[in-house]
Amino acid sequence: MTLDELLEHLAVHDVRLTGTGDVLHYDAPAAASGPELVAALRSYKGELLRWLTAPADEREVTRAPLSAQQERVMEVAARSAHPASWNVGLRMELVGELDVAALDAALDGLVARHHALRARLARDGGAWTQRILAHRSVPLPIVELTALAPDAARRRAEVVCQELVATAFTPAHDAPVRYALIRLAPGESWLVLVLHHVACDGRAVTVLLRELAVGYRTARDHGSPDFGPPAATQCTDYARWQQGQWDESTRRRRLAYWAEHLGDGPLALELPFDRPAPRQPSGQAATCRFEIPRPVRSAVEALARDRGVTVTAVTAAALALLFARLSGQPDITLSMPYANRSPQAYEDTVTVLATALPVRIRTGAAATFAQLVGQAADGLFAGIDNLLPTAWIYQQLATAGRDAAGRDAAPAGMTVSFAFQSTFDTRIDLPDLTVQVHEVPAGVGRTALIIALVPGPDGIDGYLEYPVDRIADGTARRWMAGYVDLLATACGGAHHPLADLRGSLV
């Protein structure tokens, strides 16, 4: 075992080291202790003691390249006028008897458990590198508002929450996670959790919330968190594994698929905006929330069963039809995130593994909505079969002269990102507490329309994030109401001629 391998082993298994003079002490979970660990610590005792004397913020335990997904986020975020648009913010409203010490210990344990939460990302000689620093405990920040009147406390809490979410990370120097507890009143608190998208996707957030519940419960009952076995895989493991996944022949074959699939169709939309594009966009974004009610959800699921496809394909086809009618463009390309949690070893890895697939839906080539659904399903499955880093696909288009904005640039103009978040589950069960979890938008956008659907207990919750420079609130609400209406109409008449399907916008 090399020193680097030992340091990574210590980080993965949460083995804590301290040094006093020339004496090295260690504290390890029972499952990580054993003769091999003791022998390695003895072998590298001098190096470890010197390592412990380095500043805590510079104690590196391992480093690795970035995965293609991490690199894509970093490249696009670096070009963004508002890097905070890549923040993922959650507000957990906690009502009941909160054990603050247990919550502090559980959050600290999550940071110790996952490399992605201790990573520093920067260019090293032109290539992106992630440095994983040793864990260093930081007390849970607490914002005390209990002395204020209830209404004033809530207003101040909203401000603090928004400031936490809207503050950009500097990935070269900051850990990609921050959190704080806001105490509004006795028995009422908010836990605000903010992650940089380079460290998470929807599935990773679900894993973190699940583990937070386990850590809180065990810390509350036993004084320290117990998450069970160490995390099976880390962001560094995935990045190293990914390096050998595409040989040159596979890469050429899959790029040829994307060239044929996207063809000469438009990647951006010309929508009936309320306002022309400003010379200097503000980057400000707003969120329109809507719901697909239970009867419409049932109709969507029935059509999906009848056609042997996923609900994602049905909802994507309806969205493509909506934007085709709004824009007058018969071909619509949706950027559709794919969870990409394969192979199974990486199912619960905390990092960003989701990959955006540009799926072209040709509304003019379908006679019925059922055919359009089949086309969307075929495009999704073929995209998964020909999975490549999104940057490579856009780089090929740039090389072919389709987009001169940069080597891995996204299409110029307004694009549409559509996510059916079936792996995103924000439910969390904490003893003696009622918990409600809300996503908190940063208030700045990514120069795209972002539409997400999240299955709820009854219907499907949805939101549209849109740029306020171009689109008015009333227009956003009208578009999404039209989408729900068109989805219901299309599922009810899936085998009728497509031109006969009417919605509230036409």
Side-chain angles (χ1 to χ4, degrees), residues 439-481:
E439 290 184 76
V440 182
V444 288
R446 306 178 195 168
T447 67
L449 296 178
I450 299 176
I451 299 165
L453 301 180
V454 183
D458 296 313
I460 299 175
D461 296 323
Y463 70 81
L464 164 68
E465 182 183 292
Y466 60 93
V468 298
D469 289 343
R470 308 297 310 277
I471 301 171
D473 176 68
T475 298
R477 286 188 282 106
R478 183 168 55 86
W479 286 0
M480 290 302 95

Side-chain angles (χ1 to χ4, degrees), residues 151-296:
D151 289 347
R154 184 165 293 273
R155 288 194 299 271
R156 180 58 186 158
E158 292 281 3
V159 172
V160 172
C161 178
Q162 191 60 43
E163 287 175 346
L164 285 166
V165 175
T167 300
F169 291 96
T170 304
H173 305 290
D174 300 336
V177 59
R178 74 170 68 98
Y179 45 78
L181 183 70
I182 306 174
R183 295 170 61 91
L184 289 84
E188 183 180 5
S189 299
W190 291 357
L191 174 64
V192 182
L193 175 65
V194 188
L195 296 146
H196 193 295
H197 194 20
V198 77
C200 72
D201 54 18
R203 174 61 182 174
V205 170
T206 298
V207 170
L208 287 172
L209 292 181
R210 183 186 68 203
E211 292 186 351
L212 177 62
V214 172
Y216 177 82
R217 186 181 297 273
T218 53
R220 177 178 174 269
D221 293 342
H222 305 293
S224 61
D226 182 1
F227 299 99
T233 52
Q234 300 283 354
C235 59
T236 46
D237 299 320
Y238 180 80
R240 292 169 185 143
W241 170 82
Q242 192 188 59
Q243 294 288 300
Q245 290 312 296
W246 297 290
D247 58 43
E248 189 56 33
S249 63
T250 300
R251 174 177 168 134
R252 285 199 302 268
R253 173 171 51 80
R254 294 188 178 187
L255 284 174
Y257 162 78
W258 288 109
E260 180 180 0
H261 173 66
L262 297 174
D264 59 356
L267 299 179
L269 285 175
E270 291 297 331
L271 293 168
F273 298 112
D274 297 299
R275 293 176 281 270
R279 290 184 179 180
Q280 293 185 332
S282 70
Q284 298 301 304
T287 301
C288 170
R289 299 191 179 276
F290 61 95
E291 181 186 10
I292 297 173
R294 179 194 283 269
V296 181

Side-chain angles (χ1 to χ4, degrees), residues 325 366-368 496-502:
R325 292 180 171 180
T368 65
H496 297 168
L498 204 60
D500 290 349
L501 298 179
R502 300 296 174 186

Side-chain angles (χ1 to χ4, degrees), residues 83-102:
S85 63
W86 294 91
N87 289 3
V88 178
L90 296 177
R91 182 180 74 236
M92 287 172 253
E93 299 180 357
L94 312 172
V95 177
E97 186 179 343
L98 173 65
D99 187 327
V100 177

Side-chain angles (χ1 to χ4, degrees), residues 380-399:
L380 275 168
F381 284 124
I384 293 170
D385 286 343
N386 290 277
L387 186 69
L388 282 177
T390 309
W392 294 6
I393 299 170
Y394 288 138
Q395 180 181 2
Q396 174 179 254
L397 298 180
T399 302

